[in-house]
């Protein structure tokens, strides 16, 4: 008879005791025996969080073999893929192997189903047996391994009408467009930093749907090539070229294209540090700054806003909001241009 574990997975915490698996330094990734309220999955690929992958890649000098070795070492030491520098993880895709006895009649899964995890690898018991390939241009690692989803864990069955890799690209950042759908209103002026990445493009797509003909979506990107791409795909009203680490430059250019008006909402999808004030300065008092990036410092954002006298609501990105998987996938289904780009870039 299978033992029953805690629904949030605390039964797998090794150290320190008393914390949840995300906060734990080390968790139990022994897959020989599962608990009655766990799901065992044969993992085929990891999508590493963008901020985490960028840090690992830089530390390894971009060498794919060394990147794979570092990821293997992190998982071997911690029982999970949690970058010790950024604290973030990513997500996995795989095939359901075994469903614990207490969950068999309670969930809509069966062995053999292909799923994507919608909870972070930073809290997920993971074992890697072999690295098959590192795709550093899309932050993905193909592996042979296994993972555990807890009773509280979120997942999405991979859709039949979208390829596995395409669905993974969207689901990896599903929280961003879903939160955008909740935040953006008709006639809003919206500033999106890091607009040319996966999350940025999905955010721009959702924002353009929401603002209507009188609202504006302004994309901040690093190159003119990206600006031209977003404009050609009709993912923004305007695109400006600026570094998100240069807040005054972003402020001046953002106000210039918006006729001097401050923004109702800004959304940061940049995967590097020190972009907080570029997100905050262009927003009007009473507006909202939403940080989806795992590279964001809560301290820098809150104290920076205070220091500049900005009365704005600061939201730290929650990767989950109700319906987020379906929102992300529906954007690809509804926008052939966006889908075509994702297929060329992430497959």
């Amino acid at each position: 008879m299978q033992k029953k574990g805690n629904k949030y997975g605390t039964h797998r915490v090794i150290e320190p005791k008393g914390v949840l698996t995300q906060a734990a330094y080390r968790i139990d990734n022994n897959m020989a025996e599962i608990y009655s309220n766990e799901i065992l999955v044969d993992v085929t690929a990891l999508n590493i969080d963008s901020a985490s992958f960028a840090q690992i890649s830089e530390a390894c000098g971009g060498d794919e073999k060394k990147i794979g070795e570092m990821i293997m070492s992190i998982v071997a030491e911690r029982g999970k893929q949690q970058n010790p520098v950024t604290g973030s993880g990513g997500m996995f895709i795989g095939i359901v192997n075994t469903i614990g006895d207490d969950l068999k009649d309670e969930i809509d899964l069966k062995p053999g189903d292909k799923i994507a995890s919608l909870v972070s690898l930073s809290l997920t018991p993971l074992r890697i047996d072999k690295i098959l390939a590192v795709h550093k241009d899309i932050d993905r690692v193909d592996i042979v391994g296994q993972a555990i989803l807890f009773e509280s864990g979120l997942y999405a069955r991979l859709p039949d009408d979208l390829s596995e890799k395409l669905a993974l690209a969207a689901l990896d950042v599903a929280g961003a467009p879903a939160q955008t759908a909740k935040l953006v209103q008709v006639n809003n002026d919206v500033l999106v930093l890091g607009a040319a990445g996966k999350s940025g493009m999905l955010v721009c797509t959702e924002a353009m749907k929401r603002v209507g003909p009188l609202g504006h979506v302004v994309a901040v990107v690093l190159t003119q090539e990206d600006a031209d791409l977003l404009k050609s795909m009709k993912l923004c009203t305007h695109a400006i070229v600026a570094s998100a680490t240069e807040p005054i430059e972003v402020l001046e250019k953002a106000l210039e294209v918006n006729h001097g008006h401050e923004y109702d909402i800004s959304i940061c999808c940049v995967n590097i540090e020190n972009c907080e004030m570029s997100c905050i300065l262009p927003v009007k008092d009473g507006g909202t700054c939403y940080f989806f990036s795992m590279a964001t410092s809560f301290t820098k954002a809150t104290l920076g806003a205070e220091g500049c006298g900005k009365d704005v609501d600061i939201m730290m990105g929650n990767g989950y909001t109700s319906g987020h998987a379906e929102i992300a996938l529906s954007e690809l289904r509804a926008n052939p241009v966006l889908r075509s780009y994702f297929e060329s870039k992430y497959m």
Side-chain angles (χ1 to χ4, degrees), residues 81-344:
Q81 170 51 41
Q82 183 177 33
N83 186 313
V85 177
T86 66
S88 54
M91 60 177 288
F92 71 74
I93 59 171
I95 300 170
V96 175
N97 178 306
T98 306
I99 299 173
D101 292 340
D102 289 344
L103 297 181
K104 285 180 178 177
D105 299 323
E106 302 297 324
I107 61 175
D108 60 344
L109 286 182
K110 64 183 184 302
D113 284 345
K114 289 185 176 182
I115 64 170
S117 67
L118 299 179
V119 289
S120 175
L121 291 174
S122 66
L123 58 83
T124 302
L126 174 68
R127 189 193 74 239
I128 299 178
D129 299 320
K130 186 177 182 181
I131 299 278
L132 298 178
V134 174
H135 308 279
K136 65 180 184 180
D137 53 332
I138 54 175
D139 305 342
R140 190 172 70 239
V141 183
D142 297 334
I143 74 163
V144 176
Q146 291 186 313
I148 291 288
L149 284 177
F150 302 126
E151 181 181 350
S152 60
L154 303 169
Y155 58 85
R157 185 184 282 106
L158 293 179
D160 295 329
D161 61 325
L162 299 174
S163 73
E164 183 178 287
K165 292 179 180 179
L166 182 61
L168 177 61
L171 292 173
D172 182 38
V173 293
Q179 293 286 1
T180 301
K182 293 169 65 174
L183 291 171
V184 175
Q185 305 293 321
V186 174
N187 299 336
N188 276 173
D189 292 333
V190 182
L191 185 69
V192 182
L193 293 86
K198 278 188 299 187
S199 58
M201 283 190 167
L202 291 172
V203 163
C204 285
T205 301
E206 193 64 34
M208 288 289 283
K209 286 165 50 179
R210 302 281 170 174
V211 300
L214 299 181
H216 302 92
V217 176
V218 176
V220 181
V221 294
L222 263 178
T223 68
Q224 188 60 50
E225 181 182 6
D226 285 340
D228 294 340
L229 174 65
L230 292 179
K231 287 290 292 178
S232 70
M233 296 172 69
K234 299 182 179 178
L235 295 186
C236 60
T237 313
H238 302 285
I240 60 176
V241 178
S243 170
T245 62
E246 300 290 338
I248 299 302
E249 179 188 19
V250 171
L251 173 65
E252 292 175 348
K253 290 185 176 181
L255 294 182
E256 181 182 357
V257 299
N258 205 37
H259 308 292
H261 299 301
E262 294 180 318
Y263 291 75
D264 299 286
I265 298 169
S266 65
I267 301 173
C268 184
C269 299
V270 182
N271 66 357
I272 59 173
E273 297 178 340
N274 299 317
C275 300
E276 292 81 7
M277 295 313 298
S278 290
C279 196
I280 290 169
L281 286 181
V283 176
K284 65 177 65 172
D285 283 354
T288 299
C289 302
Y290 173 56
F291 292 95
F292 184 69
S293 170
M294 291 294 105
T296 301
S297 164
F298 177 77
T299 303
K300 290 177 182 178
T302 54
L303 296 184
E306 175 188 297
C308 292
K310 299 295 293 189
D311 181 12
V312 296
D313 293 329
I314 293 175
M315 287 183 60
M316 292 296 165
N318 180 351
Y320 171 67
T321 189
S322 181
H324 67 324
E326 187 52 40
I327 288 174
L329 295 176
S330 68
E331 289 189 352
L332 294 179
R333 293 185 178 110
N335 189 326
V337 175
L338 181 66
R339 176 171 177 167
S340 177
Y341 176 80
F342 267 55
E343 287 174 337
S344 67

